[in-house]
Amino acid sequence: MNDRPGDGSEKEPRADGMTVVSYLLGGLAFWGGVGWLADWAFGFTTLFLPIGLILGLVGAIYLIVTQYGRS
Amino acid sequence: MSADVRTTLAAAGEGCQDPHIFNDYGCGFEAPTTSLFFPTPWLEFGLPATSGITKYTALLVLSVLLVAAFWFFTMRRAKVVPGRGQSIAELLITFVRDQMTRPGMGKKGDKYLPMMVAIFLFILVMNVMGIIPGAQLPVTSNLAFPAVLAISMYVLWNYIGIREHGFGGHVKGKLVPSGAPVWILPVLVPIEFISNFVFRPVTHAIRLFATMFAGHMLLAVFAAAGFYLFNPDAGGFLGVLSVGYSGFALLGFLVFTGFELFIMGLQAYVFVLLASFYIGEAIEGAH
């Protein structure tokens, strides 16, 4: 977590690990869920579910890169 | 043997005259189940969705009294030159400030320090109830207690964010990632929403609950195994072997009791640290 006890005046540490994991899981869960719902509504077996999973994963990775990749 | 282990063994020994290894009845080892976490109520109200007065309630009240008594007796006559009790209390406050609230919130977070110190000590005492002989049930191994604490932190986080930045500013700061083009936002905003508003409070509660639950289960398995494997009446080589097995199980029990103490402190620390991070983020606004 934090390697040094500080007085808060140094760089702002954040709960990065948790956020990264929840981005990945949230992306997969939300867009995968949307894809699954679309499959269920339109009567496909598996068409939109993998598309949604991939979209969610790409979005999550994009978020991680833009939010945390600049440091 | 504590009351906890005895009830475990009573549950395990049903339908078996002599619940030990190498006996003549041929009954196997029955591991403790999740019934450990549903103690028999001492007093039932008969209302739906209530559990009545159980061991959890008693230990919760005891924890509250212990924490209150600690502060009352250490800070009752606070002096500039602290005595022994006051030194301990001030050490605790400084520890929480330097290790948890300052990294998360900076100097602005010092006004939330009293709350954080109280929550830290409260969670720590509730966790440590798991290895106090006689109690031996961590209060936080019941999802209700971490959930209420996490929900209150979540409400506070939203309240502070809305107070500092207005409702629109708070929601926008938490949902719209900075530096992303507009056309990609429909993909990102739901992910941010799930991540920040759903998973965050859920994991905040479950992290504490699951570690306490698993640790208590582990200790119960070791204790029950130590009891089950102990059978010197089997005679000869088998008797010696069973006592050796039992010794290993009880050694594991002792080792993991120490390990649990470490985990209990760590989880209280992590809970307060994450609460500090979240509130610090709410004060800051856009991330």
Side-chain angles (χ1 to χ4, degrees), chain A residues 1-2 8 10-16, chain B residues 102-104 277 284:
Chain A
M1 306 288 299
N2 290 292
E10 45 194 77
K11 71 172 179 63
E12 294 283 336
R14 293 190 304 209
D16 287 356
Chain B
R102 286 268 171 96
F277 275 128
E284 250 178 72

Side-chain angles (χ1 to χ4, degrees), chain B residues 23 39 79 212 215 217 243 277:
Chain B
N23 59 11
K79 299 185 190 70
M212 290 302 117
M217 208 69 180
V243 173
F277 275 128

Side-chain angles (χ1 to χ4, degrees), chain A residues 1-2 5-8 12-15 18-19 22-23 25-27 29-31 55-56 59-60 62-63 66-68 70, chain B residues 98-99 102-103 106-107 177-181 184 186-188 190-192 194-195 199 207 273-274 277-278 281 284 287:
Chain A
M1 306 288 299
N2 290 292
D7 54 357
E12 294 283 336
R14 293 190 304 209
M18 317 289 176
T19 317
S22 69
Y23 275 159
L25 287 178
F30 181 83
W31 287 110
L55 182 69
Y62 179 86
L63 260 179
T66 52
Q67 300 303 304
Y68 298 109
R70 291 171 302 191
Chain B
D98 290 345
Q99 299 289 334
R102 286 268 171 96
K107 289 254 196 302
S178 51
I184 207 170
V187 178
L188 300 187
I191 298 178
E192 286 270 21
I194 293 252
S195 164
F199 279 4
R207 189 174 292 116
L273 184 74
L274 284 173
F277 275 128
Y278 298 156
E281 218 178 50
E284 250 178 72
H287 63 131

Side-chain angles (χ1 to χ4, degrees), chain B:
Chain B
M1 281 288 179
S2 69
D4 171 43
V5 177
R6 269 204 306 277
T7 47
T8 312
L9 300 175
E14 277 174 20
C16 184
Q17 285 174 277
D18 181 25
H20 287 293
I21 195 171
F22 304 138
N23 59 11
D24 303 331
Y25 306 103
C27 42
F29 172 64
E30 290 190 38
T33 61
T34 50
S35 64
L36 284 177
F37 302 96
F38 299 97
T40 317
W42 296 326
L43 183 66
E44 292 229 54
F45 302 123
L47 297 167
T50 57
S51 61
I53 304 285
T54 61
K55 193 173 177 180
Y56 278 114
T57 323
L59 292 179
L60 176 73
V61 171
L62 182 64
S63 306
V64 173
L65 290 177
L66 278 176
V67 174
F70 173 80
W71 292 116
F72 179 76
F73 285 113
T74 51
M75 303 305 256
R76 188 172 34 166
R77 288 188 294 271
K79 299 185 190 70
V80 178
V81 180
R84 247 179 322 186
Q86 200 188 330
S87 296
I88 295 171
E90 287 180 5
L91 203 70
L92 181 77
I93 293 169
T94 317
F95 171 71
V96 173
R97 189 191 67 189
D98 290 345
Q99 299 289 334
M100 301 176 215
T101 61
R102 286 268 171 96
M105 305 189 247
K107 289 254 196 302
K108 275 178 292 190
D110 279 3
K111 60 179 166 182
Y112 304 107
L113 181 63
M115 181 191 74
M116 291 299 183
V117 173
I119 288 177
F120 174 74
L121 194 64
F122 183 47
I123 292 179
L124 184 66
V125 171
M126 285 205 295
N127 289 350
V128 171
M129 283 295 167
I131 57 173
I132 302 284
Q136 295 205 313
L137 184 70
V139 184
T140 40
S141 66
N142 187 330
L143 183 56
F145 299 98
V148 168
L149 289 166
I151 287 170
S152 56
M153 287 297 106
Y154 182 65
V155 169
L156 181 71
W157 173 70
N158 279 306
Y159 169 77
I160 291 172
I162 289 167
R163 194 189 60 192
E164 297 281 328
H165 307 283
F167 184 79
H170 172 66
V171 171
K172 184 171 172 298
K174 293 288 167 283
L175 289 188
V176 182
S178 51
V182 175
W183 57 267
I184 207 170
L185 282 186
V187 178
L188 300 187
V189 167
I191 298 178
E192 286 270 21
F193 175 80
I194 293 252
S195 164
N196 283 341
F197 285 88
V198 180
F199 279 4
R200 183 181 274 190
V202 168
T203 50
H204 199 188
I206 286 183
R207 189 174 292 116
L208 178 60
F209 152 73
T211 46
M212 290 302 117
F213 180 94
H216 186 60
M217 208 69 180
L218 192 69
L219 293 184
V221 168
F222 269 109
F227 178 78
Y228 172 77
L229 293 170
F230 186 75
N231 192 10
D233 302 339
F237 172 69
L238 287 182
V240 175
L241 190 65
S242 77
V243 173
Y245 282 163
S246 177
F248 267 114
L250 291 178
L251 184 72
F253 180 77
L254 293 176
V255 168
F256 275 99
T257 301
F259 178 69
E260 273 310 300
L261 182 59
F262 165 71
I263 293 290
M264 283 158 181
L266 185 76
Q267 288 303 322
Y269 167 81
V270 165
F271 189 96
V272 174
L273 184 74
L274 284 173
S276 298
F277 275 128
Y278 298 156
I279 291 171
E281 218 178 50
I283 295 173
E284 250 178 72
H287 63 131

Side-chain angles (χ1 to χ4, degrees), chain A residues 36-63:
Chain A
W36 181 84
L37 275 179
D39 278 344
W40 172 79
F42 301 127
F44 293 105
T45 42
T46 45
L47 171 66
F48 288 111
L49 173 65
I51 295 174
L53 286 175
I54 291 169
L55 182 69
L57 196 57
V58 168
I61 292 171
Y62 179 86
L63 260 179

